[in-house]
Amino acid sequence: MSSILLVRHGQASFGAADYDNLSDTGHEQSRVLGAALAARGVSPDVVVAGEMRRHGQTAAGVLEGAGWSADLSVDAGWNEFDHLQVLAVHDQPTTAEGESEKAAFQRWFEEATLRWTSGAHDEAYDESFGAFTSRVEAAMARLVSALPRKGTAVVLTSGGPIAWACAALLADPVAARTDLWLRLNPVSVNTGTSTVVCGARGTTLVAFNAHDHLSPDLLTYR
């Protein structure tokens, strides 16, 4: 069988003017993951990253940590959805009495994401949820078709695409996949790995969000 490791990027700069840039922790997470994969004997035939800066930086850290010389290819199909626009088109709710700033933001994000995934307001977004999921599925199909028999691919991407790639393999119809995506996306760990195998029985998810390579001080979700 062939295998695909879907890797969420290292910790980005949450709350900074430029989110799309790894923090010091994010760089360290990437190097640690690379070393862990090499120690397990992983030797990729294909390394793919989305075109976002945090994807490329994570790829660089993983390659450095692993000591791999594999060429890196870029596929924009693995880009994250525009969470800033998803938030911007949904009015920020009033913070409830006694509610922390973090909890208020999380509630806003969840409400905004539900609005986006509903499909009822597609005209408000540059990329609808349906368009997002279609491009992720297309990116996965391109990768599967290009992967050598018994080959290994490592994909550096974001939580959203990983959650959809996994949901699409686990659930049907689309409504069930969307519900599952809403559950999987928020729990994605930085540099967590999800494993997909491709064989005679098709493409199958065998692991989601593994992060045993991280020590407690390197465990982050944003």
Side-chain angles (χ1 to χ4, degrees):
M1 293 185 294
S2 300
S3 62
I4 299 170
L5 293 179
L6 301 173
V7 179
R8 189 190 178 201
H9 60 79
Q11 184 189 56
S13 299
F14 184 79
D18 183 7
Y19 173 78
D20 193 19
N21 192 39
L22 293 192
S23 66
D24 290 343
T25 296
H27 285 291
E28 180 64 14
Q29 290 167 333
S30 304
R31 291 188 290 266
V32 166
L33 173 60
L37 293 177
R40 284 166 40 193
V42 176
S43 180
D45 302 282
V46 178
V47 181
V48 182
E51 64 179 1
M52 294 174 158
R53 186 186 308 158
R54 58 189 183 273
H55 300 156
Q57 290 174 335
T58 302
V62 170
L63 290 171
E64 177 188 343
W68 294 333
S69 58
D71 292 332
L72 175 67
S73 60
V74 175
D75 185 343
W78 292 108
N79 286 356
E80 183 61 287
F81 67 93
D82 188 349
H83 73 282
L84 294 178
Q85 187 187 54
V86 168
L87 287 170
V89 301
H90 184 72
D91 292 337
Q92 186 171 2
T94 303
T95 302
E97 184 177 354
E99 186 178 33
S100 68
E101 183 178 341
K102 180 179 179 180
F105 176 85
Q106 186 62 34
R107 183 161 58 90
W108 180 26
F109 185 82
E110 290 173 358
E111 290 178 5
T113 304
L114 282 171
R115 184 180 189 271
W116 179 55
T117 59
S118 73
H121 310 278
D122 285 354
E123 71 286 349
Y125 306 96
D126 293 335
E127 181 178 51
S128 68
F129 184 66
F132 164 72
T133 59
S134 292
R135 72 164 165 84
V136 172
E137 290 178 19
M140 176 63 87
R142 285 193 295 273
L143 181 60
V144 170
S145 65
L147 192 59
R149 185 172 177 269
K150 296 185 178 180
T152 298
V154 175
V155 181
L156 296 313
T157 178
S158 290
I162 292 172
W164 185 260
C166 294
L169 293 172
L170 291 174
D172 205 36
V174 172
R177 293 178 179 179
T178 301
D179 288 342
L180 184 55
W181 181 85
L182 288 166
R183 292 174 179 267
L184 296 179
N185 187 44
V187 300
S188 187
V189 170
N190 292 118
T191 68
T193 65
S194 298
T195 304
V196 173
V197 296
C198 312
R201 293 192 296 176
T203 305
T204 305
L205 177 71
V206 296
F208 173 70
N209 204 29
H211 50 274
D212 53 311
H213 59 284
L214 295 172
S215 58
D217 61 307
L218 288 179
L219 185 62
T220 61
Y221 294 84
R222 289 186 176 179

